[in-house]
Amino acid sequence: MPEKRSKKSITEISPIDVYKLLPKTNCGECHEANCMTFATRVVNGELTIEDCPPLLIDTKYQADHEKLVDLMMPPVRAVTIGAVGKTVKVGGKYVLYRHEFTYHNPTPIAIDVADYMGTDEIAARIKLVNSFTFNYIGRNLNLDAIAIRATSNDPAAFSAFVKDVARKTDMPLILCAYDPAVMAAGLAHVGGRRPLLYAATRENWKEMANIACQYHCPLVVSAPHDIPGLRSLVKTLTEYGVSDLVLDPGTSVDPDLSRTVHEFSQIRRSVFQQEDELLGYPLLGTPISAWLSPEISPEVIQWKEAYTASLLLSRYADLLIMHSVEGWALLPQLIWRFNIYTDPRKPVSVEAGVKTFGTPGRKSPVLITSNYALTYFMVENDIKSANIDCYLIVADTGGNSVESAVAGRYLTAETISGALKDYNVNNLVEHRYLVIPGLAARLSGDIEEASGWRVLVGPKDSSGVPEFLKTRWPPVDT
Ligand code: SF4
């Protein structure tokens, strides 16, 4: 039978539940107006109770602090990897489905280095993880950790290898060795960095638990395709005193991928629907397992690794270890992760205002769009690639796209007229022509009435803006 938790879910906890356990002094040390505002932001997942200094420091609040920790404990515990330099948090999930609240702690992606690789290859892979960045609608997407694998099973060789890798990066580390002697040798150099240890199994759990306790490191529990065995190991380890655990239920790629996804889903459902505390730990997916499959072509293996990673990001991996470093294998994961972990309650937006492109003059076109990030960056890209000198008004549409903003009345004749006034667009140009998106065409008459500006209805798709301006700008009567 599952070890049951009988607590309120995050969506049932009210700000009052949190407020009652706060110091209620309205001291402002959390930079919030008062304790009630703080409580509301905690319940919304925007702050944590650790952001209230008096609660942590003053012993008279200790009992309330403990109650709050228990109240706000996510069903999938959060585990931190790393202590100095960069750190990552894995797990910390409050809900089974993203739309119920939001997912926290985007799944870190670790890239492996192994002691069979040549010096140049190791250095290149570490450099890639250290510096990888891709700008996607204004956000930098990065890799997160390095998994150091022992394949020689030689403690001295692994020790030297770990030491060398650690010197080249401050990224969070995962040490991978099944032999406790090899693991201990590697840890001698990086124990203070709190790496994640992979892995405790039915055979080595006691020695690995001792090492994890000695260095205060989080530990992976591995029982491939054996959920009852995994659960039993978790019970044994927690009773032994290891509390920071990550679960490895095994990752098999095609043709057994459906089994893997089913097992990941079964574990997560056990936590949220059967309230099984013993399975309430972050899940590790290892798409790197694709490289064990018998295919000859590396491209086929990479393809399998990439789609395995994408599936596990969706169901329900909290940490991934990958081997492929090609952009086509990694970028889909980073973009997919970004989308999954975007708060569904808050569309991704950019700051509203007037943007200047090129060197616009007093006769240059004035366009308007929404502040939904994806829309904005598409428009920006189309303007920049055509080298258009213009002003672009980015209206505050609450992060909604043009079509949604018009339908939801976030973009109206009044808001557009207000934006023209607020951003003093009158002073930027001598004409009074505004190019609006084709998807907002039905507002054109009202905009002219509300603002006194003449409206040119532009294309529905911003890729048509360069051609539109070529044929329609300047307007004939200017
Ligand atoms: Fe209230 Fe704590 Fe914020 Fe002070 S720091 S206002 S006690 S929540």
Side-chain angles (χ1 to χ4, degrees):
M1 287 291 290
E3 303 270 315
K4 282 211 169 192
R5 46 182 288 133
S6 51
K7 289 174 41 174
K8 285 183 175 181
S9 77
I10 187 72
T11 51
E12 293 166 335
I13 297 172
S14 75
I16 294 289
D17 294 329
V18 173
Y19 175 78
K20 281 194 291 197
L21 296 166
L22 289 174
K24 298 186 276 293
T25 58
N26 300 328
C27 69
E29 283 189 51
C30 57
H31 308 293
E32 296 302 315
N34 51 51
C35 294
M36 193 62 199
T37 312
F38 179 87
T40 304
R41 295 198 65 193
V42 168
V43 168
N44 284 340
E46 297 161 1
L47 296 174
T48 70
I49 50 176
E50 275 66 42
D51 294 315
C52 168
L55 197 63
L56 305 184
I57 295 163
D58 197 329
T59 50
K60 72 179 175 219
Y61 301 127
Q62 191 179 340
D64 284 340
H65 180 218
E66 283 166 12
K67 282 182 198 161
L68 271 170
V69 168
D70 187 52
L71 179 72
M72 297 307 297
M73 175 89 76
V76 176
R77 291 165 182 75
V79 171
T80 300
I81 305 171
V84 290
K86 292 175 183 160
T87 62
V88 284
K89 212 182 248 194
V90 298
K93 300 295 190 293
Y94 282 100
V95 288
L96 181 59
Y97 299 113
R98 169 181 178 265
H99 64 261
E100 295 173 310
F101 184 52
T102 187
Y103 283 166
H104 293 86
N105 306 322
T107 304
I109 296 176
I111 300 297
D112 80 310
V113 289
D115 51 11
Y116 69 79
M117 295 173 180
T119 313
D120 290 348
E121 186 184 3
I122 292 166
R125 291 174 74 83
I126 294 172
K127 191 174 171 203
L128 176 110
V129 177
N130 286 342
S131 59
F132 188 98
T133 188
F134 178 74
N135 190 280
Y136 177 66
I137 55 171
R139 272 64 170 178
N140 287 330
L141 309 183
N142 304 309
L143 297 169
D144 309 281
I146 292 177
I148 310 175
R149 295 198 292 126
T151 58
S152 63
N153 219 26
D154 174 350
F158 191 57
S159 170
F161 181 48
V162 171
K163 187 178 179 184
D164 181 49
V165 174
R167 269 196 292 115
K168 294 184 167 105
T169 185
D170 65 349
M171 298 296 268
L173 302 174
I174 304 170
L175 300 196
C176 308
Y178 290 112
D179 183 331
V182 174
M183 181 64 83
L187 256 179
H189 297 294
V190 295
R193 285 176 63 164
R194 203 170 188 273
L196 174 65
L197 310 183
Y198 182 98
T201 63
R202 189 187 297 274
E203 289 74 33
N204 70 8
W205 71 265
K206 198 164 199 171
E207 293 91 335
M208 285 294 188
N210 287 333
I211 294 171
C213 289
Q214 182 188 345
Y215 287 95
H216 307 287
C217 289
L219 178 63
V220 177
V221 189
S222 180
H225 310 302
D226 177 13
I227 294 175
L230 189 65
R231 208 173 165 280
S232 163
L233 264 175
V234 170
K235 190 168 173 40
T236 305
L237 283 162
T238 49
E239 286 172 357
Y240 197 73
V242 188
S243 54
D244 276 350
L245 297 173
V246 172
L247 311 187
D248 171 24
T251 298
S252 295
V253 298
D254 198 26
D256 291 324
L257 183 54
S258 62
R259 177 182 180 186
T260 300
V261 173
H262 174 74
E263 285 168 347
F264 273 65
S265 303
Q266 193 182 340
I267 290 173
R268 215 25 78 84
R269 278 200 297 268
S270 296
V271 174
F272 285 99
Q273 294 173 347
Q274 296 166 33
E275 300 177 349
D276 188 342
E277 284 196 13
L278 282 177
L279 293 175
Y281 292 90
L283 294 176
L284 167 68
T286 55
I288 190 175
S289 308
W291 292 85
L292 299 173
S293 55
E295 268 88 9
I296 302 206
S297 156
E299 285 77 22
V300 173
I301 295 174
Q302 283 174 310
W303 166 239
K304 285 190 175 191
E305 184 182 28
Y307 69 63
T308 301
S310 294
L311 271 170
L312 291 182
L313 277 171
S314 311
R315 291 278 182 278
Y316 285 95
D318 301 292
L319 170 65
L320 292 177
I321 300 178
M322 294 184 69
H323 178 74
S324 301
V325 289
E326 282 69 17
W328 67 262
L330 292 176
L331 281 180
Q333 321 311 331
L334 297 177
I335 292 171
W336 183 224
R337 175 179 71 179
F338 173 83
N339 286 314
I340 293 172
Y341 282 83
T342 299
D343 189 338
R345 300 165 299 173
K346 293 182 198 155
V348 189
S349 59
V350 297
E351 202 178 330
V354 180
K355 312 282 179 191
T356 301
F357 293 95
T359 49
R362 295 185 59 75
K363 293 180 188 295
S364 296
V366 178
L367 299 89
I368 189 165
T369 190
S370 77
N371 76 331
Y372 174 45
L374 196 53
T375 302
Y376 171 76
F377 284 104
M378 284 168 70
V379 176
E380 180 193 81
N381 187 48
D382 289 326
I383 292 174
K384 279 185 174 170
S385 37
N387 292 320
I388 298 169
D389 297 325
C390 68
Y391 295 104
L392 176 66
I393 299 173
V394 183
D396 183 359
T397 57
N400 288 284
S401 64
V402 172
E403 199 167 21
S404 306
V406 172
R409 297 194 55 75
Y410 290 96
L411 190 66
T412 63
E414 290 70 31
T415 58
I416 291 173
S417 174
L420 287 165
K421 277 195 198 115
D422 292 347
Y423 305 139
N424 292 315
V425 187
N426 279 0
N427 297 334
L428 298 175
V429 292
E430 62 190 32
H431 64 80
R432 294 293 177 264
Y433 282 90
L434 176 67
V435 181
I436 67 169
L439 291 169
R442 65 180 153 117
L443 302 179
S444 57
D446 291 343
I447 295 169
E448 291 192 346
E449 209 167 293
S451 67
W453 283 57
R454 297 280 302 279
V455 168
L456 301 178
V457 178
K460 289 184 176 172
D461 189 316
S462 64
S463 62
V465 166
E467 187 57 31
F468 175 86
L469 291 178
K470 213 180 275 178
T471 54
R472 298 285 304 279
W473 196 270
V476 284
D477 55 342
T478 57

